Amino acid sequence: MIQIKSEAEIALMRRAGVLVGETLELLRAAVTPGVSTAELDAIAEANIRAAGGVPSFLGYHGFPATICASVDDEIVHGIPGPRVLQEGDVVSLDCGAILEGYHGDAAITVAVGAVSQQVKELMRVTEESMWRGFAAARLGGRVSDISHAVEAYIRSQGDWGIVEEYGGHGIGTEMHQDPHVLNYGRPGRGPKLQKGLALAIEPMVTLGSPRTRLLPDNWTVVTAEGGWAAHFEHTFTITERGPWVLTALDGGAAKLAELGVTAGTG
Ligand code: MG
Ligand code: MG
C-alpha cells in the first residue's frame, strides 16, 4: 500500500531523517583502519537512543544490529561484528531510525584510508546516480522516472554493474512500503509522484557482474563473482518547490543546486 503523508507527518519524517543523517556522519568520522563493524554499530545505536529514537533495523525480520555494514564485495545487509576494517577496504553503512513513529533510512559507502582510483570512481558514480534520481523526480511524474535517471547516469559513466534484485521503496510509518523503486528501467511508468509520498532511493553498483549471492548467514548479500560494490541511499519527498531529501542534513540543497534543481523544504 502506498502511504500519503500530511505535511505534519512529513515534518516528523524530517526529524527521523536528520537523526539518521547525523548518525551516518558520526559513523563516517569513525571509519578508520582498525575499527570493527561492531564498534560502528554501537556508535549508531547509542546516538539513535540518546535522541529518543529506536533503531529500526534491530529485530527487523530478526536482523541482529542497528546498522548494516557491508565490506568490499558485500553489497548490502552485512551484519556488524568482530571484522576489523583494513586500509583499502570500502564499507557501506546503512542506518534506519524511528522517531515518533516515523522512519528515516539512508546509507553511505566510505573508503577506509586510501583506496584505489577505480573504487573511488565506483563510489562517485553510485552516489551521483542517486542524486540524478532525486533531480528527475517531479510532482505528476512517475516512479520509474527516478529509476531511469539512476540507470542512465550509471550507464553514461562506463561499464558498471547495476544490482537488480534490490532497490528503493516507499517509507513512512514502516521502513518498507510500496512502491518498489528499481534502479533501472524506462521512464513514465509506475505510481504517480505526488505530494506526501516519501521514497528511499538506493542504487547499488558493482565492479564486474552485478549478480548477487546470499551468504549462509541469510542476510549478507555479496556479488556472485567477487567484484566490490558501493551503495548510497537517502529518504526523500517531493514538494511544490522541489525534492526534499529528508535524511540529508541540508535537505539536499547543495547537491541538487549542482544539478540545477531547487531543493524543497518544510
Ligand atoms: Mg537502508
Ligand atoms: Mg532502504
Side-chain angles (χ1 to χ4, degrees), residues 4-228:
I4 298 301
K5 270 73 72 177
S6 68
E7 281 183 19
E9 291 174 304
I10 293 290
L12 291 175
M13 290 193 69
R14 172 59 172 163
R15 293 188 51 203
V18 167
L19 176 56
V20 169
E22 289 173 345
T23 303
L24 284 172
E25 286 312 309
L26 281 179
L27 295 180
R28 188 199 302 279
V31 168
T32 185
V35 76
S36 72
T37 53
E39 289 174 283
L40 297 174
D41 188 66
I43 291 169
E45 179 169 8
N47 193 60
I48 291 168
R49 293 204 190 278
V54 176
S56 47
F57 298 179
L58 189 61
Y60 182 83
H61 295 288
F63 190 78
T66 291
I67 62 170
C68 298
S70 308
V71 183
D72 299 346
D73 63 323
E74 298 171 354
I75 306 167
V76 284
H77 306 164
I79 300 172
R83 182 169 184 170
V84 171
L85 298 177
Q86 310 287 333
E87 176 98 18
D89 283 339
V90 282
V91 60
S92 162
L93 302 166
D94 195 341
C95 180
I98 312 167
L99 199 56
E100 296 188 45
Y102 288 85
H103 287 250
D105 185 10
I108 54 176
T109 298
V110 184
V112 184
V115 298
S116 71
Q117 193 56 43
Q118 187 186 36
V119 167
K120 277 188 204 166
E121 184 66 359
L122 170 71
M123 292 191 291
R124 186 196 67 77
V125 168
T126 310
E127 183 173 17
E128 184 68 16
S129 73
M130 171 187 69
W131 288 101
R132 301 291 169 131
F134 301 136
R138 302 268 185 283
L139 288 177
R142 299 276 180 175
V143 165
S144 81
D145 298 349
I146 298 168
S147 313
H148 179 72
V150 169
E151 178 183 16
Y153 181 75
I154 297 167
R155 301 262 181 246
S156 78
Q157 297 301 299
D159 189 19
W160 305 96
I162 302 176
V163 173
E164 296 187 355
E165 291 98 324
Y166 304 87
H169 49 90
I171 179 168
T173 54
E174 293 150 291
M175 179 163 58
H176 291 135
Q177 299 180 329
D178 287 337
H180 184 61
V181 187
L182 296 171
N183 290 310
Y184 61 94
R186 287 203 258 160
R189 298 177 171 208
K192 238 186 192 151
L193 298 173
Q194 55 180 307
K195 203 164 173 243
L197 180 65
L199 300 172
I201 306 302
E202 47 181 317
M204 287 147 257
V205 178
T206 63
L207 296 173
S209 165
R211 287 193 307 110
T212 70
R213 183 166 67 83
L214 190 63
L215 291 189
D217 66 18
N218 271 323
W219 280 106
T220 312
V221 178
V222 300
T223 59
E225 289 165 22
W228 285 17

